[in-house]
Amino acid sequence: MRKITIPAEDFDLETTMTCGQTFCWHRTEGELYGEGESEFYTFRNGEPLIVRQKGNELHAETTLDPDEVKQALGLHHDLEDVFSQFPEDQRLDKAREELWGLRIIQDEFFPCLISYLCSPQMRIPRIKKMHNDMAREFGEIQTRGVELLRFPTQEELSEASEDEFRELGIGYRAKYIVETLDILQDGFDHSELDSMKYEDAREHMKNLYGVGDKVADCVLLFSKNFHQAYPLDTWALQAVEKHYPEHHSDDYSEASKNLRNHFGEYSGYAQEYIFHAARKGIIEV
DNA sequence: CCCCAGGCACCTC
DNA sequence: GAGGTGCATGGG
């Protein structure tokens, strides 16, 4: 572990952490989606990464290289360039004004996948609770001045039974986790996704049990750098139906394609700004 | 008490 | 492939 400082222009750590995209980051003190210290941590390769923002600098404690830290927080994108690729859009302008600095994080594939397997028919704070409970129950609590929750590895989580997941309140999604762990064990190699075209990657993800279009898009966007992905949950679909009716469709693939054609290569950023703005009431749905 | 939540699998037809 | 259903659990 060493302390490094990284330039962080056009970056808002607090918003990036609390906009509902990640379940893999934590506050060192307090709840992620609640009040608390503006210092955050996650784990990479089993080692903690702790970050705090001071103005246009990011202070990190980590074993990682600066570039890997930047990648983890979405700092490898040029945010001005991202927005310059969107078409003229009043709602997006408003969201941009309020949320400027929100980045799309890149979490580790495995914990990201398991968390989003828990997401169907569930509110965001409860998904976070499930993630934390799994970390406490099957992962590890490291003590480094404060207690740090490490999410279990694939091997560690495979030890758990469906009943044990149900005891954590995960409900019918417990089966998604158990079955998906089997498929991963049988040789599903997520690194193959990296060289796939976006639509092929989404189809490939759906080979995992409990992974449909929406969960696939979230995992690809938040852990695999597929920033074209425009996750269409009930909110997003409502927003599309109301504000972009010409792009709306009841068919997921169709709506997804329309939106990617409209917003371009960084559609995922548009989705995230619109989603968070809608959630915060900055723009109406 | 009812309603619903960052959907999904599974069953018909 | 389109359309309808059941699903665990907790909070409003």
Side-chain angles (χ1 to χ4, degrees):
Chain A
M1 294 280 282
R2 58 202 179 91
K3 295 187 178 183
I4 58 176
T5 300
I6 297 169
E9 298 282 338
D10 305 325
F11 180 58
D12 184 337
L13 179 64
E14 182 75 28
T15 303
T16 297
M17 290 290 120
T18 59
C19 70
Q21 57 179 319
T22 181
F23 304 102
C24 302
W25 284 84
H26 313 262
R27 293 187 192 275
T28 52
E29 211 176 304
E31 289 180 19
L32 182 64
Y33 299 130
E35 295 298 308
E37 195 68 20
S38 197
E39 182 179 60
F40 303 86
Y41 74 93
T42 188
F43 276 77
R44 299 301 250 218
N45 313 317
E47 293 293 325
L49 160 61
I50 307 170
V51 300
R52 171 185 285 278
Q53 181 169 20
K54 288 224 169 74
N56 285 340
E57 285 183 344
L58 187 77
H59 297 265
E61 272 182 72
T62 183
T63 56
L64 300 176
D65 295 332
D67 280 349
E68 295 175 302
V69 176
K70 289 178 80 169
Q71 175 96 15
L73 290 164
L75 283 165
H76 57 307
H77 293 134
D78 180 335
L79 202 55
E80 292 283 7
D81 179 50
V82 167
F83 271 86
S84 74
Q85 301 199 28
F86 297 148
E88 194 83 11
D89 189 320
Q90 267 192 332
R91 274 170 293 277
L92 215 40
D93 288 345
K94 182 109 173 115
R96 170 189 168 132
E97 199 177 307
E98 300 284 336
L99 304 172
W100 183 250
L102 189 170
R103 302 288 184 139
I104 291 183
I105 46 81
Q106 292 298 303
D107 282 332
E108 286 188 324
F109 176 79
F110 181 71
C112 178
L113 167 64
I114 301 298
S115 304
Y116 274 98
L117 281 179
C118 296
S119 70
Q121 300 290 101
M122 200 47 61
R123 290 172 209 273
I124 291 174
R126 274 199 66 201
I127 304 167
K128 182 56 178 160
K129 181 178 185 303
M130 293 174 186
H131 176 103
N132 291 1
D133 286 348
M134 280 188 276
R136 261 187 285 273
E137 201 66 29
F138 309 116
E140 180 192 4
I141 301 176
Q142 291 191 6
T143 308
R144 305 209 180 203
V146 291
E147 288 193 339
L148 305 181
L149 279 181
R150 180 180 61 73
F151 196 80
T153 62
Q154 185 182 323
E155 291 70 29
E156 287 170 332
L157 205 61
S158 298
E159 301 283 313
S161 68
E162 186 173 332
D163 280 346
E164 288 180 282
F165 289 124
R166 283 178 183 267
E167 282 168 23
L168 297 181
I170 290 172
Y172 65 86
R173 303 157 201 81
K175 188 178 178 188
Y176 296 169
I177 298 176
V178 172
E179 296 291 324
T180 281
L181 283 167
D182 273 344
I183 298 168
L184 293 177
Q185 186 62 34
D186 286 346
F188 183 101
D189 180 4
H190 69 80
S191 65
E192 290 177 9
L193 294 163
D194 298 329
S195 57
M196 288 185 188
K197 288 194 300 184
Y198 160 70
E199 286 180 330
D200 296 337
R202 199 178 67 199
E203 285 311 302
H204 190 59
M205 283 295 297
K206 286 162 70 177
N207 291 323
L208 298 170
Y209 191 84
V211 175
D213 288 310
K214 192 279 177 175
V215 168
D217 268 342
C218 285
V219 177
L220 290 176
L221 179 60
F222 301 133
S223 82
K224 281 295 182 181
N225 208 26
F226 279 97
H227 42 258
Q228 313 95 311
Y230 196 109
L232 286 163
D233 54 69
T234 47
W235 282 52
L237 262 181
Q238 263 186 49
V240 170
E241 193 166 12
K242 177 161 184 182
H243 298 302
Y244 309 93
E246 68 276 28
H247 302 310
H248 182 266
S249 167
D250 290 325
D251 181 76
Y252 192 102
S253 300
E254 198 60 33
S256 165
K257 184 148 58 68
N258 295 342
L259 289 158
R260 280 178 284 123
N261 284 337
H262 178 70
F263 289 112
E265 190 190 346
Y266 291 99
S267 292
Y269 267 92
Q271 193 274 2
E272 215 37 35
Y273 272 78
I274 293 170
F275 174 77
H276 193 51
R279 266 204 338 137
K280 282 185 69 174
I282 296 166
I283 60 178
E284 56 186 76
V285 184

